[in-house]
Amino acid sequence: MNMHQRPGHELHGHERQQRLEVLLHELRTSLTTIRGWAELPLQGLSDDPELMVRALRRIQDEADHMHQAVQQVFPRADASWVRPLETEPVDLRDVADEAVADLGLLDPERPIARENSGRATVVADNRMLRHAVRNLLDNALRHTPAGSPVTVAVRGSVAVTAGGAGDGTGGVAQRVELSVSDRGPGMGPQDIARLTSPYDEDGRIEPGGGIGLTIVRRVVERHGGEVRVSSAPGRGTTVTVAFPTVSVSSGN
């Protein structure tokens, strides 16, 4: 057993592969964002101090995320694979705007529409949530033709039935939703299953699996939310993440 691992926390081959695949995906996403913002001065936009400050902040945020991602895959003896949530009030509209700005910089020819409806504040881990939404948009761009439009919609105060249906104990809970819709080729049920769970029965990565959406699902579920995928061949795809509007306890 590796002396840097605690008893019961040995990494098996499949788990090690999964961690490395997730790490490589996250590093690629962050490096792409850093390169996009770092190229602004080369595009003659360095005379805008406000834009330059924004670019430096985004570069710093992505560098911090890369550092945390590496630490999670190669933890110290006293660290765990899944870090505790650092929660605070987060407006999903701001998160969506930031993700759209990132991808608009990287793919300026791509039409990306924004829609808002109602208050959209949740108690969440801001950094984790931002990268989940960024992965959602990145996934839409990767699986649709160049120039195909994408819509990012945020809806607040969505009422859903909360458990206990039919036994008198159910109620109505308020949710906040963010959806990313594209007009790509769409998917059948088998493709949806592979996109949301890219590992096969033996824990290996399947070709064409959706690492990005798997990361999204893990983040959303840690916040007590859920991910829904709606798609059909020839009709495009919509991925919706829904969060409760109540606080969640750190690490649960």
Side-chain angles (χ1 to χ4, degrees), residues 180-193:
V180 175
S181 304
D182 65 57
R183 299 181 190 174
M187 299 176 290
Q190 290 185 340
D191 291 328
I192 293 176

Side-chain angles (χ1 to χ4, degrees), residues 15-29 65 69-70 72-73 81 135 198-199 205 210-212 214-216 218:
E15 183 181 359
R16 185 182 297 111
Q17 180 192 7
Q18 290 176 8
R19 292 190 181 189
L20 290 175
E21 288 288 341
V22 170
L23 173 63
L24 289 173
H25 179 89
E26 290 287 80
L27 293 183
R28 281 195 297 264
T29 300
H65 178 76
V70 171
Q72 288 188 84
V73 173
W81 163 231
N135 272 294
Y199 304 109
I205 302 296
I211 292 291
T214 298
I215 293 171
V216 171
R218 288 176 178 174

Side-chain angles (χ1 to χ4, degrees), residues 39-40 55 61 63 80 82 84 88-89 95 103 132 155 158 162 168 177 191 217 221 236:
E39 287 174 0
L40 282 181
D61 286 345
S80 63
V82 180
E88 60 181 307
V95 174
L103 294 187
R155 294 175 292 275
V158 177
E177 295 184 348
D191 291 328
R217 189 181 70 246
E221 289 179 351

Side-chain angles (χ1 to χ4, degrees), residues 95-117:
V95 174
D97 287 342
E98 182 181 276
V100 168
D102 284 351
L103 294 187
L105 186 72
L106 302 174
D107 190 355
E109 303 302 318
R110 173 81 64 158
I112 304 179
R114 279 280 289 110
E115 297 177 0
N116 286 327
S117 175

Side-chain angles (χ1 to χ4, degrees), residues 13-83:
H14 293 160
E15 183 181 359
R16 185 182 297 111
Q17 180 192 7
Q18 290 176 8
R19 292 190 181 189
L20 290 175
E21 288 288 341
V22 170
L23 173 63
L24 289 173
H25 179 89
E26 290 287 80
L27 293 183
R28 281 195 297 264
T29 300
S30 289
L31 283 171
T32 301
T33 303
I34 288 173
R35 288 184 62 182
W37 286 103
E39 287 174 0
L40 282 181
L42 302 178
Q43 299 172 2
L45 301 175
S46 57
D47 292 335
D48 185 340
E50 219 174 277
L51 186 59
M52 287 301 98
V53 169
R54 183 180 182 185
L56 290 173
R57 283 177 177 166
R58 291 296 298 119
I59 291 171
Q60 183 180 40
D61 286 345
E62 294 301 320
D64 288 344
H65 178 76
M66 292 169 66
H67 177 70
Q68 288 191 357
V70 171
Q71 282 191 321
Q72 288 188 84
V73 173
F74 302 104
R76 301 184 304 273
D78 60 343
S80 63
W81 163 231
V82 180
R83 71 173 177 84

Side-chain angles (χ1 to χ4, degrees), residues 61-184:
D61 286 345
E62 294 301 320
D64 288 344
H65 178 76
M66 292 169 66
H67 177 70
Q68 288 191 357
V70 171
Q71 282 191 321
Q72 288 188 84
V73 173
F74 302 104
R76 301 184 304 273
D78 60 343
S80 63
W81 163 231
V82 180
R83 71 173 177 84
L85 298 177
E86 299 175 4
T87 58
E88 60 181 307
V90 180
D91 193 326
L92 267 185
R93 294 169 295 186
D94 294 337
V95 174
D97 287 342
E98 182 181 276
V100 168
D102 284 351
L103 294 187
L105 186 72
L106 302 174
D107 190 355
E109 303 302 318
R110 173 81 64 158
I112 304 179
R114 279 280 289 110
E115 297 177 0
N116 286 327
S117 175
R119 288 191 59 194
T121 301
V122 296
V123 177
D125 186 304
N126 190 21
R127 186 183 300 277
M128 201 178 288
L129 192 59
R130 284 158 49 197
H131 275 268
V133 174
R134 170 61 200 274
N135 272 294
L136 268 184
L137 268 72
D138 186 62
N139 212 55
L141 267 62
R142 286 176 181 272
H143 295 88
T144 56
S148 178
V150 172
T151 299
V152 182
V154 177
R155 294 175 292 275
S157 300
V158 177
V160 296
T161 303
D167 61 5
T169 63
V172 176
Q174 295 297 317
R175 311 280 273 187
V176 173
E177 295 184 348
L178 182 147
S179 64
V180 175
S181 304
D182 65 57
R183 299 181 190 174

